[in-house]
Amino acid sequence: MERGMRRMGVGVALAACLIGLGGCGGGAGKDSGGAALPASDLAPLQAIQAINVGSTDPTHAEPALPRPGTTPCVVTLYQGLSFNDFNQRDFSYQPPALCQGAWAKVVLEADYSVTAGRQFDRTALIGLGGVNLYYGTTPQPTASLARSWKIERDVTEFAALLRTPQAGAAVLDTVVNATYTGVFTGSARLLFYPAVAGEPLPSQADQVLAFSAGASARPLAQQRPEGGYTRSFRFPLNTSRVYLDLIAQGQSSNEYWYACAPTELAAALGTCGDGAYREVQVLIDDQPAGLAPIFPWVFSGGHNPRLWLQTTGVQTLQLQPYRVDLSPFAPLLADGANHSVRIKVLNSRAWFNLVGSLLVYRDAGVERVTGQLTENSLKDLNDPSKISNQLKLPSGAAPSGLLQTLASRDYRIAGYQIGSRGREQVTVAQQTSFSNLQTYSATQLEVVQQTRVEDQTLVERGGKTQRATRSSSYPFRLLYVSEPLLQRIAVEQQFQRSQWLQDEQRRVFFSQVENAVTADIRAEAPAAGASAVQTQSTAQRFDYSDSALNCASRRLLSKDGKMVEARESARCATAPRPAWYLDPLGLRMDNELLLRLPLP
């Protein structure tokens, strides 16, 4: 696939000075059989989070997924596949014969590598039955440096899909020829951890529905603002909860969507058009049903590949979905008819990749869930942003001034349903604030962006109330400097999330996570005409804590493409690590499970 914007105002001279921009692609896999094997029969994987000072392999500070203490059954999806074209690699999956009971946890693990040579960053994915299990981007090699990395994902909630044989596909679309010589190789497997009697079981969807381009789980590509994709589904008659997990990945000129300007200014500023505001919109039967923000991911070729030679950006190797709660619509969907679900990105052209999974939970105590939607204030899906333009665009001179974009959303969707628990009122609310400030001068471009979203789900039944709140914040800063004695690119990005679970107005569980990366590359000359000295550094910090006193924390520092420091925060050195049923990445919270546990 294509690399995005190749010039951004003053960034074009800077990018050329600092090695130039890389590229980002799209994904492909092959049959390795799906036989279940005891873990002892397989060569052990290197610890996913092993970090070695002096290493040149890409790494990140996120903690490894916590695992149960039981011995997992292992199903190999594929082994040692080579990716050198745009063809998917098909494989067959069979459930583990030795772990047929309840699963406490299911984890997808994958190993990837790329040989030394020239190659863009690409998009990789793994699909099963059309459902996306993994979606991420790859590091870039150099002429003398091969790269290897590992990913893992908790797919326990997809257990219903994994209980039956499935056709699968691995995708990593790439070009290998005399110019692009790096060759990708990959292996993947699923680890099934048996449940133990008396221990809690996490929530698992009763049905997993794919929102993708087909059996391979390839993404859908939206290439025009009025675009988007619609899929038709028939839901179970006793549907009680519905969630849509969404990934929206900017490609081509939308890779750097946060630096886009109004279309009428794009040419003069040397950037993309359609403005800087993006959001994913979800509609059910053409009725607005929910919104999802888009995280400003930076791929390993983004802005300058040397920024990410060792420490990658936040979630770069594994893009994480955003969950939209569609449960107020459950009674309408549970009527036996086909219903359309549509997703689209506001202000998107050339292009955004879209992939999603619908997770359906049923009320096993009844044959049919009834009820109706009672409130929906999400009416207007037109662009909510306001643009303040203070730019000066004199003919023949570099643009200068400020370009500010502000946007906000505030909506509630509510409905009641009648099932085995009696009458339940389900209310979903979201508040969003967005700001993007672009500052242009003859020698600099700075983009400062902030996205804040608060999602709340309120369930009321029998005079009792359960409240789940998720607050997300995505601070982002990009700086390009092109001066006679200094060429510089700096990127700062953060993923911040806090989650609360309350029962009867009492806080039951609280967790917070922060994942922050700061990357800087510069070429400085001591005087005019002197040779410039190029330096690079990337730092990452990750912190997780919760009300059960669990803690996870890491600090990484790489310089000039090598890891020079990896340490754990002192405050977490003696604290408990997150239990296997918790999510230290802050991606989702299992409300039903946590309410059954004796947590402080």
Side-chain angles (χ1 to χ4, degrees), residues 27-111:
K30 173 125 173 131
D31 188 3
S32 64
L37 297 174
S40 58
D41 291 347
L42 294 176
L45 285 174
Q46 178 185 355
I48 288 178
Q49 288 301 310
I51 297 174
N52 300 316
V53 172
S55 169
T56 56
D57 278 334
T59 190
H60 51 78
E62 292 97 324
L65 290 177
R67 313 285 181 102
T70 54
T71 300
C73 291
V74 181
V75 176
T76 298
L77 301 180
Y78 54 88
Q79 186 74 33
L81 292 180
S82 178
F83 301 93
N84 56 9
D85 54 30
F86 280 74
N87 297 320
Q88 69 187 46
R89 288 9 179 200
D90 296 325
F91 61 84
S92 298
Y93 163 78
Q94 294 288 334
L98 301 181
C99 295
Q100 295 185 353
W103 300 322
K105 195 162 192 171
V106 186
V107 177
L108 170 71
E109 293 183 349
D111 301 88

Side-chain angles (χ1 to χ4, degrees), residues 196-227:
V196 175
E199 289 194 358
L201 279 177
S203 298
Q204 300 174 4
D206 296 293
Q207 190 174 15
V208 184
L209 303 174
F211 207 115
S212 63
S216 68
R218 284 181 181 270
L220 302 153
Q222 180 177 327
Q223 301 191 47
R224 61 186 191 280
E226 66 276 13

Side-chain angles (χ1 to χ4, degrees), residues 117-162:
R118 184 177 182 182
Q119 190 54 264
F120 284 152
D121 49 350
R122 303 290 182 176
T123 298
L125 64 90
I126 300 172
L128 203 63
V131 174
N132 181 263
L133 298 185
Y134 160 67
Y135 194 98
T137 65
T138 69
Q140 292 193 191
T142 69
S144 60
L145 183 62
R147 322 299 303 282
S148 62
W149 66 101
K150 300 175 182 292
I151 64 98
E152 59 178 358
R153 186 187 179 193
D154 183 350
V155 293
T156 311
E157 204 168 7
F158 292 179
L161 172 74
L162 303 175

